[in-house]
Amino acid sequence: MNSPVYDILKQLVAFDKTIVQPVYIQVAQQVINAIQRGYLAKGSKLPGTRVLSQLLNVHRNTAVAIYEELASQGWVDIIANKGTFVLVPEEPNVKIKATAQHIHQAYTYPMVAGFPFQQSFHLASTAEVTSSKYSISDGTPDLRLHPVHQFSRWYSAAMKRKPLVNKWNRTNALTPSVFSTQLCNYLNVTRGFHIKPSNLVNTRSTEMSLYIVSQLLIKKGDLVLVGELSNYATNMIFQQAGAKIRTVPVDSDGLNIAYIKKHFVKGSIRCVYVCANRDYPTTVTLSAQRRLQLLQLAKTHGFAIIEDDYDYDFQFEGSAMLPMASADVNGNVIYLGKLGQSLFPSFHTGFVVAPENLISEAKNYLQLLDKQGDLIQEQMLSELISEGEIYRLKKKNIVTYKQRRDCLCHFLNHYFEGITTWEKPLGGLAIWLQFAETISLVKLAEEAEKLDLFLPKTILYQDKNTCAIRFGFGHLNEEEIEIVIKKLKSAYNKVINF
């Protein structure tokens, strides 16, 4: 009768002679897997090299190499004139555990952790998948406008810069990086700032920026105020930090500051999150009067203002209002922004502008999360800023996005007149589309998907007072906008006719 070890090896070991990895390595790794999972117990005697070569149909030299590889890694002990054993044999007759296990589980990975850990509802992914050809986003740029050929040249040139190697080898930075200086200059010119590199830290994204700020700012139970509808991703970050979130009404002038004064006492608020340039999701701009009120209230009550300027670059008409942070003399505003939105997302960079002591702590925190950073990206963006390419790309794309906005408004007038209301935005890549008659937006999304149009749940806003969609148009060209509007109208007709 064959030894149980023989049966286990027959069932578990398989190899492919056509791949680059040597056969003896393939077999050794599978034997190690069998040992680790308990199929081959400590002390089990393995077949001799002659028997193993016959068992696996390999040359005897390969069998010798298998055992030598296992021995070199400490998985078996080869004892002269006795045999090869799994580790050091302690008992002469060790029972094979594998007979009680399921052989088909030998190469599966566990689905459940064997230890307790903290699970967070707040970080549950809201990502949805679809096979639909068309979709409506919450206001993302069109990646097809990315200058691929130019970008390849810029990136290649940045990689060849000799100073990059010195930067990687440098243990610490005694002076601000070229990128920090260039970014400061760019923000001072475009956003009315008067900052130095010590007031600035750049991150991988605005989400990373907000995460770092929330970890520095918020303790468990701290009160954070956000707009009435607000951004789900932002709220997830605040809740993960332990904040208690309360909502503040938003009207045509933006966040209602009088409501904050009336309902919250001094010392109770930790921070107020606001998208002053374009509220998310309604796109309304915080009025000049309310900006001044909020700054004064922050000074009086001693809370922080987190000003998220997520799409400052997309201004179609007139000039964008300067950030509140540019007029902050009391150190109450933390400004979050993004650079490079005309490029692929992996080459966007987020940044935080704040008082020097907070930025110093933020940089310490960033060292834990992203010590290496991306020096090639920084080198390339530095050159794009200094040569004016970032500005030219932005101006070029603004023309395209403005045409798409006007195209969307045209088709909305044609297909949804009297059905929905909206304000033509002066900037940004989304329209706040409100339905005159309350319908089920979930059913609308279901019917739209049947027509090959995907409406993610994160753009649907419905409660007793609201029935609206944050309609992102930036990723759609004019032909696609017409198709999407027609499909949305067909889905709407089906919903109201139920």
Side-chain angles (χ1 to χ4, degrees), residues 211-255:
Y211 179 81
I212 292 173
V213 168
S214 67
Q215 292 299 312
L216 295 173
L217 196 64
I218 298 169
K219 299 189 296 292
K220 186 173 179 61
D222 280 348
L223 182 64
V224 175
L225 304 185
V226 301
E228 198 165 36
L229 299 175
S230 66
N231 187 329
Y232 70 94
T234 297
N235 293 344
M236 287 168 61
I237 293 173
F238 287 140
Q239 288 173 326
Q240 184 62 23
K244 291 181 180 179
I245 296 179
R246 297 290 182 269
T247 59
V248 176
V250 176
D251 56 28
S252 58
D253 288 324
L255 206 65

Side-chain angles (χ1 to χ4, degrees), residues 22-125:
V23 170
Y24 80 93
I25 294 292
Q26 295 181 52
V27 175
Q29 289 179 347
Q30 292 172 67
V31 173
I32 291 169
N33 179 66
I35 295 171
Q36 288 178 314
R37 292 176 181 253
Y39 292 99
L40 296 175
K42 184 176 181 179
S44 301
K45 185 177 180 181
L46 300 179
T49 54
R50 191 183 303 277
V51 175
L52 183 65
S53 65
Q54 295 174 353
L55 195 67
L56 302 180
N57 195 25
V58 296
H59 195 279
R60 189 179 179 187
N61 289 345
T62 303
V64 172
I66 292 169
Y67 283 159
E68 288 179 347
E69 178 67 21
L70 291 171
S72 68
Q73 295 189 37
W75 291 105
V76 300
D77 189 18
I78 302 175
I79 302 177
N81 301 321
K82 289 188 176 181
T84 303
F85 299 86
V86 175
L87 298 178
V88 179
E90 296 177 354
E91 301 177 9
N93 298 310
V94 179
K95 294 181 179 179
I96 304 301
K97 297 180 181 179
T99 55
Q101 300 187 37
H102 300 289
I103 293 295
H104 70 275
Q105 294 179 353
Y107 300 115
T108 60
Y109 197 79
M111 297 179 64
V112 180
F115 50 84
F117 63 95
Q118 183 176 343
Q119 299 184 50
S120 176
F121 169 77
H122 305 307
L123 297 182
S125 175

Side-chain angles (χ1 to χ4, degrees), residues 128-338:
E128 300 175 72
V129 294
T130 182
S131 58
S132 299
K133 182 177 180 180
Y134 301 96
S135 66
I136 299 175
S137 73
D138 70 341
T140 56
D142 190 346
L143 299 183
R144 294 171 295 187
L145 300 180
H146 174 79
V148 177
H149 298 298
Q150 285 179 289
F151 189 86
S152 298
R153 292 198 300 271
W154 295 331
Y155 194 76
S156 176
M159 288 186 68
K160 295 174 183 177
R161 297 286 188 264
K162 291 182 179 179
L164 276 181
V165 176
N166 296 330
K167 290 180 182 178
W168 267 308
N169 291 332
R170 186 173 55 190
T171 56
N172 51 42
L174 299 177
T175 58
S177 68
V178 173
F179 176 65
S180 295
T181 303
Q182 290 285 5
L183 183 54
C184 274
N185 294 339
Y186 179 79
L187 295 177
N188 288 337
V189 170
T190 60
R191 287 165 170 79
F193 283 125
H194 301 281
I195 59 173
K196 300 175 293 185
S198 56
N199 299 120
L200 175 74
V201 61
N202 64 290
T203 66
R204 298 281 186 173
S205 64
T206 50
E207 291 79 12
M208 179 182 280
S209 297
L210 184 60
Y211 179 81
I212 292 173
V213 168
S214 67
Q215 292 299 312
L216 295 173
L217 196 64
I218 298 169
K219 299 189 296 292
K220 186 173 179 61
D222 280 348
L223 182 64
V224 175
L225 304 185
V226 301
E228 198 165 36
L229 299 175
S230 66
N231 187 329
Y232 70 94
T234 297
N235 293 344
M236 287 168 61
I237 293 173
F238 287 140
Q239 288 173 326
Q240 184 62 23
K244 291 181 180 179
I245 296 179
R246 297 290 182 269
T247 59
V248 176
V250 176
D251 56 28
S252 58
D253 288 324
L255 206 65
N256 191 328
I257 311 305
Y259 180 92
I260 300 176
K261 290 181 180 178
K262 180 178 179 181
H263 291 86
F264 301 96
V265 299
K266 182 177 181 179
S268 65
I269 305 170
R270 185 64 175 123
C271 68
V272 175
Y273 173 84
V274 60
C275 301
N277 198 38
R278 268 178 286 279
D279 176 68
Y280 188 103
T282 65
T283 74
V284 298
T285 301
L286 189 66
S287 67
Q289 182 182 4
R290 290 192 178 176
R291 288 167 184 252
L292 294 175
Q293 291 174 350
L294 184 56
L295 285 169
Q296 182 59 42
L297 192 63
K299 177 185 176 183
T300 304
H301 286 212
F303 60 75
I305 301 171
I306 299 178
E307 183 180 13
D308 190 345
D309 215 352
Y310 61 93
D311 66 352
Y312 183 90
D313 285 344
F314 299 118
Q315 185 71 23
F316 306 141
E317 294 164 3
S319 299
M321 292 186 72
L322 293 178
M324 285 189 296
S326 65
D328 177 34
V329 296
N330 300 302
N332 290 106
V333 182
I334 302 170
Y335 181 81
L336 311 182
K338 184 185 290 187

